[in-house]
């Protein structure tokens, strides 16, 4: 994870580096640092904690220089500390790094034998000393190449050199890196979002690429050290999403935007006049698909579980779901009649990208469902289905989850229609239902906004909590528990309600909050029976249902009665109270809502 920035300019750069680092904080926020070149010397400043701390440091003691690199860290090797914060500099070079150097222990040992003294516990410092060492015998390009060849693992790098004091160098293998073209200055950044306030002209580095930036020129080299040209992209304007507006934090803004996400997505994919879904150019004819494999991590994985239920209901295609970090290391029998679908908000998640790469190496067809259309996963997939959620800044994924589920649902009904496994009326009814979904989401947000803060209080004092659901509500229970854990640091478990008596029921004791997801679907009665089992053992039940029957609410501590919709669309509405519940518990505990501890938005390391 970690975020890196580099600027080669003719003006002072520190302020713009700080500004861009703030935008990259979603990638890591345990320490921050900056290095600039002043009078042919490297000047480094770093501190623990947020970019605000670094800004205060620079306020007291400003960094000069028209060439600089900056970093926000998410610790992999070594605790968050000033010494472990990036940049890592020698007298000759200064390096910022995103990724993991897997052979750093061995490299470090060799460098120590040569007399290099390491100050940090990081894997990055080996890059600093390798470069320093190679520069003694080689010119710039060869020293960079020799260094990169010596590294195993993943990296995006920003490098300053004392001897070459008019350039910033960038290099990428496995971790993302963008280059921006500005007026009389050029930029490096972990993503285009960090560069957006400075330029909308961007190029993405591919694996193995190296770039050399001056204030008026950018040169690119590929992994064979050949000079190459790269395509310049123009970014679109999406200011409304990257501004908090009147909201206290991005998470509440993003929860409130979910009806807009749904509306945009439906508009992009559904042709209401023709009552059809605009999805063409599948990499495999859907009629020939033998199996669909859905792969993701965290919240994205939960959207894959939801989709399994939809695909199985709507098609005869066997469906497999997989967590990317497991998929990438298993022995997989690849089949070119299977469609491998990757779900990711950022499109940069290291495990998901590696799983996709494995598929590509095995010559099978891939589809990605992503939010960031310029991301590595999107660029490497055969078929890309954007979720159109706009930038999601809060580390806890909310509107992206709604978008991912929606695109997966749309994909399922379209494939079913092409394979003639759904009849015309049913297909058209589902398209009609999709039109109504954004308003239902809006109503649910409004209703739950007022009702969840009081429920949140019960969770603060409890030892833990449970989230239970059956069928399509099972993945939503998992998602509710993940949201609560991630935001409030309280233990929570999500389970299929029917699984309770096989172990988890032992956890139920007087006062334990248990959230029961019980839409009026085919599982309703069974879920309510499971709820009674919880009540009988003293659990404090929070029932979320769309059923009116008052009797089911007896002995229930709180009932949230959400809008009624078709059974298969209930996950969209069931998700909202759980997001808001997690939000309010975290707010009561004064947790950092947008940046939960130990986490980062874009998980670009294994
Ligand atoms: O960017 P991705 O969707 O690939 O990220 C996957 C997970 O890291 C992510 O969903 C994570 O679980 C969220 N922080 C959960 O809110």
């Amino acid at each position: 994870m970690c975020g890196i920035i580099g600027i080669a300019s003719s003006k002072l750069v520190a302020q713009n580096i700080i500004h861009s680092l703030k935008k990259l904080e979603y990638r890591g926020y345990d320490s921050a640092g900056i290095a600039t070149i002043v009078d042919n010397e490297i000047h480094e400043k770093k501190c623990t904690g947020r970019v605000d701390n670094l800004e205060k440091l620079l306020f007291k003691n400003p960094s000069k220089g028209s060439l600089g690199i900056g970093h926000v860290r998410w610790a992999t090797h070594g605790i968050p500390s000033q010494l472990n914060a990036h940049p890592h500099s020698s007298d000759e070079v200064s390096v910022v790094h995103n990724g993991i150097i897997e052979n750093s222990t061995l490299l470090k040992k060799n460098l120590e034998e040569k007399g290099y003294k390491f100050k940090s516990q990081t894997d990055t410092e080996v890059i600093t000393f390798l470069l320093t060492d190679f520069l003694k015998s080689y010119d710039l390009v060869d020293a960079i190449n020799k260094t990169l060849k010596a590294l195993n693992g993943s990296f995006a790098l920003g490098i300053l050199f004392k001897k070459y004091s008019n350039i910033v160098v960038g290099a990428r293998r496995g971790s993302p890196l963008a280059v921006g073209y500005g007026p009389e200055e050029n930029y490096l950044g972990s993503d285009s979002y960090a560069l957006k306030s400075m330029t909308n002209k961007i190029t993405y580095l591919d694996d193995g690429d190296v770039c050399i930036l001056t204030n008026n020129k950018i040169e690119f080299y590929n992994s064979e050290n050949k000079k190459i040209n790269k395509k310049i992209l123009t970014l679109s304007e999406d200011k409304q999403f990257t501004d908090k507006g009147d909201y206290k934090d991005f998470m509440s803004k993003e929860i409130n935007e979910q009806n807009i996400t749904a509306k945009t997505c439906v508009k992009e994919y559904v042709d209401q006049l023709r009552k059809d879904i605009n999805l063409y150019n599948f990499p495999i004819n859907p009629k020939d698909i033998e199996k669909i494999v859905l792969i993701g991590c965290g919240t994205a994985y939960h959207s894959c579980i939801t989709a399994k239920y939809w695909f199985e209901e709507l098609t005869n295609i066997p469906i497999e779901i997989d967590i990317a970090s497991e998929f990438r290391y298993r022995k997989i029998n690849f089949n070119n009649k299977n469609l491998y679908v990757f779900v990711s908000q950022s499109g940069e998640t290291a495990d998901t990208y590696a799983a996709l790469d494995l598929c590509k190496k095995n010559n099978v067809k891939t589809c990605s469902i992503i939010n960031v259309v310029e991301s590595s996963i999107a660029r490497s997939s055969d078929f890309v289905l954007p979720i159109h959620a706009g930038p999601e800044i809060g580390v806890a994924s909310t509107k992206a989850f709604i978008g991912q589920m929606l695109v997966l649902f749309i994909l399922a009904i379209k494939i079913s229609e092409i394979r003639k496994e759904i009849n015309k009326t049913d297909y058209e009814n589902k398209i009609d239902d999709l039109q109504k979904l954004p308003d239902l989401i809006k109503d649910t947000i409004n209703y739950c906004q007022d009702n969840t803060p009081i429920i949140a209080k019960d969770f603060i004092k409890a030892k833990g909590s449970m989230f239970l659901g059956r069928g399509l509500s099972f993945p939503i229970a998992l998602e509710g528990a993940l949201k609560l854990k991630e935001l409030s640091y309280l233990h929570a478990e999500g389970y299929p309600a029917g699984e309770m008596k096989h172990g988890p029921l032992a956890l139920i004791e007087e006062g334990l909050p248990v959230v029961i997801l019980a839409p009026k679907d085919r599982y309703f009665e069974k879920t309510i029976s499971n709820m009674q089992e919880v009540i009988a053992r003293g659990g404090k039940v929070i029932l979320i249902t769309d059923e009116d029957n008052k009797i089911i609410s007896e002995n229930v501590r709180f009932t949230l009665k959400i809008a009624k919709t078709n059974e298969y669309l209930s996950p969209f509405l069931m998700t909202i109270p759980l997001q808001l519940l997690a939000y309010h518990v975290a707010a009561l505990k004064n947790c950092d809502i947008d940046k939960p501890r130990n986490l980062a938005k874009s998980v670009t390391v294994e």
Side-chain angles (χ1 to χ4, degrees):
M1 282 109 76
C2 305
I4 70 182
I5 186 87
I7 307 183
S9 180
S10 48
K11 298 172 283 184
L12 295 181
V13 290
Q15 216 175 346
N16 276 347
I17 290 181
I18 294 288
H19 185 71
S20 305
L21 286 180
K22 285 188 178 168
K23 300 208 160 164
L24 285 173
E25 270 195 318
Y26 75 91
R27 304 175 71 91
Y29 33 82
D30 59 44
S31 51
I34 181 171
T36 52
I37 302 264
V38 187
D39 298 333
N40 290 327
E41 293 292 336
I42 294 166
H43 287 250
E44 183 192 274
K45 291 199 180 78
K46 40 200 203 179
C47 60
T48 52
R50 301 288 161 90
V51 178
D52 281 349
N53 297 353
L54 184 65
E55 194 172 26
K56 282 181 200 145
L57 210 72
L58 293 190
F59 188 70
K60 284 192 207 139
N61 182 9
S63 278
K64 296 197 189 114
S66 55
L67 230 84
I69 50 177
H71 189 267
V72 282
R73 180 166 185 250
W74 183 86
T76 58
H77 290 59
I79 55 161
S81 69
Q82 199 205 6
L83 276 183
N84 288 335
H86 299 215
H88 291 283
S89 311
S90 66
D91 288 343
E92 296 300 322
V93 301
S94 184
V95 177
V96 286
H97 168 217
N98 168 29
I100 292 183
I101 305 304
E102 286 164 359
N103 57 340
S104 63
T105 314
L106 183 66
L107 292 172
K108 186 172 176 179
K109 194 168 159 276
N110 295 342
L111 286 159
E112 278 173 337
E113 280 166 13
K114 286 186 166 184
Y116 289 96
K117 300 255 175 298
F118 283 77
K119 288 178 277 194
S120 77
Q121 302 156 308
T122 65
D123 51 343
T124 306
E125 213 176 350
V126 299
I127 309 174
T128 306
F129 289 136
L130 274 176
L131 274 167
T132 308
D133 203 51
F134 283 127
L135 279 169
K136 288 181 183 163
S137 338
Y138 297 95
D139 68 8
L140 175 77
V141 175
D142 283 343
I144 296 170
N145 268 322
K146 295 234 171 257
T147 303
L148 300 187
K149 282 215 172 82
L151 305 176
N152 292 344
S154 64
F155 54 78
L157 302 173
I159 314 167
L160 292 183
F161 297 85
K162 174 182 167 175
K163 192 166 158 198
Y164 305 93
S165 58
N166 65 333
I167 59 166
V168 175
V169 168
R172 164 192 173 154
R173 190 199 296 157
S175 303
L177 196 59
V179 164
Y181 303 75
E184 290 167 50
E185 54 184 23
N186 292 309
Y187 320 99
L188 270 185
S190 288
D191 65 21
S192 56
Y193 172 58
L195 306 181
K196 251 185 177 170
S197 60
M198 302 183 284
T199 182
N200 66 346
K201 299 273 178 269
I202 299 282
T203 290
Y204 292 97
L205 260 61
D206 288 311
D207 266 352
D209 288 354
V210 171
C211 61
I212 301 181
L213 277 64
T214 65
N215 63 346
N216 54 17
K217 201 164 95 189
I218 305 181
E219 284 178 355
F220 296 96
Y221 296 86
N222 66 11
S223 53
E224 275 122 44
N225 208 9
K226 290 216 177 80
K227 219 167 173 183
I228 48 167
N229 291 322
K230 310 247 347 155
K231 209 164 129 197
I232 303 177
L233 310 168
T234 305
L235 298 173
S236 57
E237 180 60 45
D238 45 20
K239 191 165 180 333
Q240 80 270 26
F241 292 114
T242 51
D243 215 63
K244 250 190 296 199
D246 289 338
Y247 289 95
K248 261 171 106 180
D249 36 60
F250 278 104
M251 187 182 177
S252 50
K253 177 170 187 275
E254 288 157 4
I255 289 174
N256 276 282
E257 271 168 15
Q258 294 184 109
N259 59 316
I260 302 170
T261 305
K263 202 174 195 158
T264 316
C265 213
V266 170
K267 207 170 89 203
E268 288 291 331
Y269 289 104
V270 177
D271 182 335
Q272 191 51 33
L273 273 180
R274 286 170 39 245
K275 289 250 184 294
D276 200 1
I277 286 168
N278 299 323
L279 276 183
Y280 314 99
N281 304 324
F282 284 87
I284 316 181
N285 183 341
K287 290 179 184 155
D288 299 332
I289 294 176
E290 288 183 2
K291 184 162 76 179
I292 295 179
V293 186
L294 302 159
I295 300 153
C297 301
T299 290
Y301 172 66
H302 294 159
S303 71
C304 296
I305 313 179
T306 329
K308 179 176 165 76
Y309 287 85
W310 285 322
F311 273 105
E312 285 178 349
E313 198 64 38
L314 292 162
T315 74
N316 293 323
I317 307 173
I319 305 296
E320 261 178 34
I321 44 176
D322 228 312
I323 291 179
S325 56
E326 291 297 314
F327 179 90
R328 64 182 287 192
Y329 292 116
R330 285 217 319 279
K331 181 176 172 284
I332 308 279
N333 290 319
F334 286 100
N335 176 349
N336 61 12
K337 290 277 177 67
N338 292 353
L339 179 63
Y340 296 81
V341 180
F342 295 85
V343 184
S344 172
Q345 186 286 129
S346 60
E348 300 293 351
T349 301
D351 285 318
T352 314
Y353 183 69
L356 168 71
D357 198 44
L358 184 66
C359 287
K360 291 189 73 69
K361 287 187 177 127
N362 283 279
N363 297 319
V364 290
K365 295 296 179 201
T366 58
C367 163
S368 63
I369 294 179
I370 38 86
N371 196 26
V372 183
V373 281
E374 309 98 2
S375 61
S376 307
I377 291 177
R379 284 180 286 127
S380 303
S381 309
D382 295 314
F383 191 45
V384 182
L385 301 177
I387 63 169
H388 301 289
E392 190 181 63
I393 315 289
V395 166
S397 191
T398 51
K399 62 176 181 173
F401 182 56
I402 293 291
Q404 288 160 357
M405 288 198 294
L406 195 47
V407 172
L408 283 161
F409 180 67
I410 288 170
L411 183 65
I413 40 181
K414 184 63 187 177
I415 289 183
S416 174
E417 189 257 348
I418 297 173
R419 291 166 64 96
K420 302 206 180 330
E421 288 166 344
I422 187 171
N423 68 46
K424 194 164 186 295
T425 321
D426 204 6
Y427 180 63
E428 292 187 355
N429 285 345
K430 287 196 165 43
I431 286 174
D432 284 341
D433 288 340
L434 281 175
Q435 302 293 334
K436 295 179 205 141
L437 187 64
D439 285 344
L440 288 173
I441 290 176
K442 182 80 202 146
D443 294 346
T444 311
I445 295 170
N446 290 341
Y447 167 73
C448 296
Q449 202 90 266
D450 297 337
N451 290 295
T452 40
I454 172 113
I455 304 175
K457 290 188 181 152
D458 276 358
F459 287 71
I460 304 292
K461 292 172 226 119
K463 257 209 249 163
S465 58
M466 297 195 90
F467 291 73
L468 307 177
R470 284 172 179 256
L472 278 164
S473 295
F474 156 54
I476 306 306
L478 294 181
E479 176 61 7
L482 177 65
K483 284 284 99 84
L484 188 69
K485 278 186 267 216
E486 157 174 57
L487 286 163
S488 70
Y489 322 145
L490 292 171
H491 186 69
E493 289 283 355
Y495 267 105
E499 189 64 10
M500 284 298 282
K501 42 182 110 40
H502 303 291
L505 203 57
L507 290 171
I508 307 291
E509 58 183 23
E510 202 61 43
L512 187 91
V514 180
V515 178
I516 305 277
L517 304 176
K520 185 81 171 110
D521 56 15
R522 72 192 80 171
Y523 309 94
F524 180 72
E525 277 76 22
K526 298 205 181 299
T527 309
I528 295 301
S529 301
N530 297 135
M531 180 181 88
Q532 297 305 344
E533 289 157 9
V534 169
I535 292 172
R537 285 157 183 85
K540 249 188 208 174
V541 165
I542 296 99
L543 170 65
I544 307 180
T545 183
D546 53 11
E547 170 64 355
D548 275 326
N549 188 341
K550 291 230 165 32
I551 301 166
I552 59 157
S553 290
E554 274 172 18
N555 299 319
V556 164
R557 181 152 166 87
F558 294 108
T559 301
L560 286 178
K561 161 86 189 41
I562 60 164
K564 229 182 197 19
T565 179
N566 271 314
E567 179 171 335
Y568 50 84
L569 291 184
S570 70
F572 295 96
L573 305 189
M574 283 284 160
T575 299
I576 291 159
L578 305 189
Q579 293 170 339
L580 283 163
L581 181 63
Y583 177 91
H584 289 297
V585 177
L588 282 176
K589 285 194 72 202
N590 278 324
C591 296
D592 188 336
I593 305 257
D594 284 337
K595 296 188 180 82
R597 72 181 180 203
N598 304 339
L599 300 179
K601 183 72 183 157
S602 188
V603 186
T604 54
V605 292
E606 274 200 75

